[in-house]
Amino acid sequence: MDEKLETLRQWIAESHNIVFFGGAGVSTESGIPDFRSVDGLYNQQYAYPPETIISHSFYVRYPEEFYRFYKDRMLFADAKPNAAHRALAKLEADGRLKAVITQNIDGLHQMAGSREVLELHGSVHRNYCTRCGKFYSLDDVIRSEGVPRCDCGGTVKPDVVLYEEGLDSNTLEKSVRYIRQADMLIIGGTSLVVYPAAGLIDYYRGSKLVLINKDATARDSQADLVINGRIGEVLGAVSGVQ
């Protein structure tokens, strides 16, 4: 492990156009459960499967049930950035990291100080009235009872990509551009099984593809460096961030 960490440290020092692509594993160290882990949302007991509840059609048909689950199991307002978030913000401040591309919806990268964050699946911090478009904050949603309603009477919907909804094309296109131009791509905290997001790895053209994940992924054979470990511990160690 020490040899791999030293290689990662050296590659970062040599690079000036790093892109980071991360998944749920980046946030688990902040106390936010992974959807697919043993203790994740998919293994909890609810009247409906979580995949069904957080789908667009379920939201439209049963908004009360959707919001009961959403507020209880998907909002973690007290979560704080961990060493991975802080390390990435430091790399950006140092001029080495150009963008963070994330599948997470918690806003922790921005809280840590990252500025160029592409949120593939949206954010719980942005919520809009489906009738008039008025913006509502995360606190507004948390404080609401039942289904949050706008002053105009419309339903407030989180700016989060639900099942059956497509990713934002502008965010996706921008992510592809960053990855194509990167001289180093670090992928962390993701099993690379959720598409189309996982397919972004195929746009990388460089020779420093790093995969950091607690478990093996189906893409390990494509990587130039594979580190099996906790993303916060690994990035914290190579960047000097606790």
Side-chain angles (χ1 to χ4, degrees):
M1 176 65 84
D2 289 342
E3 183 178 335
K4 289 188 174 184
L5 290 179
E6 185 53 40
T7 297
L8 178 58
R9 188 179 290 110
Q10 181 179 336
W11 285 5
I12 289 174
E14 297 170 349
S15 303
H16 298 279
N17 193 345
I18 303 171
V19 171
F20 177 81
F21 172 60
V26 178
S27 295
T28 53
E29 292 173 55
S30 293
I32 297 177
D34 180 354
F35 269 58
R36 290 171 178 78
S37 67
V38 173
D39 298 319
L41 295 182
Y42 284 148
N43 290 283
Q44 305 294 329
Q45 297 297 317
Y46 295 94
Y48 299 88
E51 306 99 309
T52 300
I53 298 175
I54 54 177
S55 67
H56 177 82
S57 56
F58 190 93
Y59 163 78
V60 172
R61 293 184 64 188
Y62 309 107
E64 295 85 2
E65 287 296 316
F66 169 86
Y67 265 108
R68 186 174 296 118
F69 176 89
Y70 180 75
K71 292 178 182 181
D72 183 45
R73 301 302 305 165
M74 297 186 71
L75 300 182
F76 298 88
D78 296 329
K80 303 298 181 187
N82 60 57
H85 300 104
R86 293 190 291 272
L88 292 167
K90 181 177 185 294
L91 288 175
E92 184 183 31
D94 291 343
R96 299 190 182 281
L97 182 77
K98 300 307 178 185
V100 168
I101 302 168
T102 180
Q103 294 172 283
N104 298 329
I105 59 176
D106 48 51
L108 292 181
H109 285 292
Q110 292 93 328
M111 195 181 301
S114 289
R115 306 181 76 171
E116 185 65 359
V117 181
L118 305 180
E119 296 171 309
L120 295 173
H121 296 157
S123 173
V124 299
H125 294 276
R126 298 188 300 269
N127 306 272
Y128 299 96
C129 173
T130 55
R131 179 183 294 176
C132 72
K134 181 178 178 179
F135 171 85
Y136 286 87
S137 69
L138 174 60
D139 287 340
D140 292 329
V141 171
I142 292 174
R143 287 197 301 265
S144 67
E145 292 187 11
V147 179
R149 301 285 182 183
C150 178
D151 298 334
C152 76
T155 301
V156 176
K157 181 181 183 295
D159 186 17
V160 170
V161 179
L162 305 177
Y163 284 104
E164 304 168 354
E165 296 180 344
L167 303 188
D168 178 75
S169 59
N170 290 331
T171 303
L172 204 54
E173 290 169 9
K174 196 172 183 181
S175 299
V176 169
R177 286 199 301 271
Y178 270 118
I179 289 175
R180 274 183 171 152
Q181 297 167 3
D183 60 7
M184 181 176 184
L185 176 61
I186 302 174
I187 299 175
T190 174
S191 55
L192 292 172
V193 296
V194 178
Y195 283 80
L200 290 172
I201 186 175
D202 297 324
Y203 291 98
Y204 179 61
R205 296 292 180 263
S207 59
K208 289 183 284 189
L209 173 59
V210 181
L211 287 182
I212 307 169
N213 199 48
K214 287 197 298 183
D215 304 309
T217 77
R219 300 295 196 104
D220 284 4
S221 61
Q222 296 176 241
D224 301 295
L225 178 64
V226 176
I227 300 178
N228 291 128
R230 293 162 62 88
I231 184 72
E233 293 177 0
V234 172
L235 292 183
V238 299
S239 64
V241 170
Q242 300 298 316

